[in-house]
């Protein structure tokens, strides 16, 4: 059973808060959309050590970094384009601090929101 530490829980809560802030930013800027394109960004970087695996070499350690970037832009027809980029980097080091393995996974999500109603 995997146990999460208080630090991991707080980091996850912070990442969720950043996503919520980005989502709250979207409606407020969409209602007051200027004629020029607008870009807003929110970043969250969290770093935590993953579980150490005793079945592998003794003393190996894995660190996971997560970075989330949210940007939005008003298109010429009034719609809002929201781009979310999530990058997860896993680095495994031996007991001497030498990097044994490194993997990077990037996920990009693009959403087009309808133009706000100006009633």
């Amino acid at each position: 059973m995997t146990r999460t530490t208080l630090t991991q829980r707080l980091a996850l809560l912070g990442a969720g808060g950043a996503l919520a802030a980005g989502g709250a930013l979207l409606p407020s800027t969409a209602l007051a959309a200027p004629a020029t394109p607008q870009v807003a960004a929110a970043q969250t970087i969290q770093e935590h050590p993953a579980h150490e695996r005793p079945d592998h070499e003794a003393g190996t350690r894995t660190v996971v970094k997560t970075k989330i970037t949210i940007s939005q832009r008003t298109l010429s027809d009034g719609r809002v384009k929201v781009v979310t980029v999530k990058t997860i980097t896993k680095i495994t080091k031996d007991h001497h601090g030498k990097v044994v393995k490194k993997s990077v996974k990037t996920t990009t999500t693009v959403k087009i929101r309808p133009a706000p109603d100006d009633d």
Side-chain angles (χ1 to χ4, degrees):
M1 177 176 188
T2 303
R3 295 178 185 246
T4 58
T5 63
L6 178 62
T7 307
Q8 289 174 328
R9 288 185 206 153
L10 291 175
L12 188 57
L13 180 64
L19 287 174
L25 238 165
L26 176 64
S28 64
T29 56
L31 293 176
T36 59
Q38 178 182 1
V39 176
Q43 285 189 2
T44 301
I45 299 176
Q46 62 186 21
E47 179 177 328
H48 63 277
H51 63 282
E52 294 185 15
R53 298 181 183 172
D55 57 333
H56 285 76
E57 291 182 34
T60 61
R61 181 176 151 154
T62 302
V63 176
V64 179
K65 293 182 185 179
T66 304
K67 178 180 176 182
I68 300 171
T69 305
I70 302 170
S71 62
Q72 62 186 18
R73 185 173 69 122
T74 304
L75 301 175
S76 60
D77 60 357
R79 296 181 300 160
V80 179
K81 179 179 181 180
V82 180
V83 179
T84 305
V85 179
K86 182 178 180 181
T87 304
I88 300 173
T89 305
K90 293 181 183 179
I91 300 172
T92 302
K93 295 181 180 181
D94 64 7
H95 65 281
H96 294 295
K98 182 179 176 185
V99 176
V100 177
K101 182 179 178 182
K102 181 177 179 179
S103 66
V104 179
K105 180 181 178 184
T106 302
T107 306
T108 303
T109 306
V110 179
K111 295 182 180 178
I112 304 293
R113 304 284 185 196
D117 294 331
D118 294 332
D119 292 339

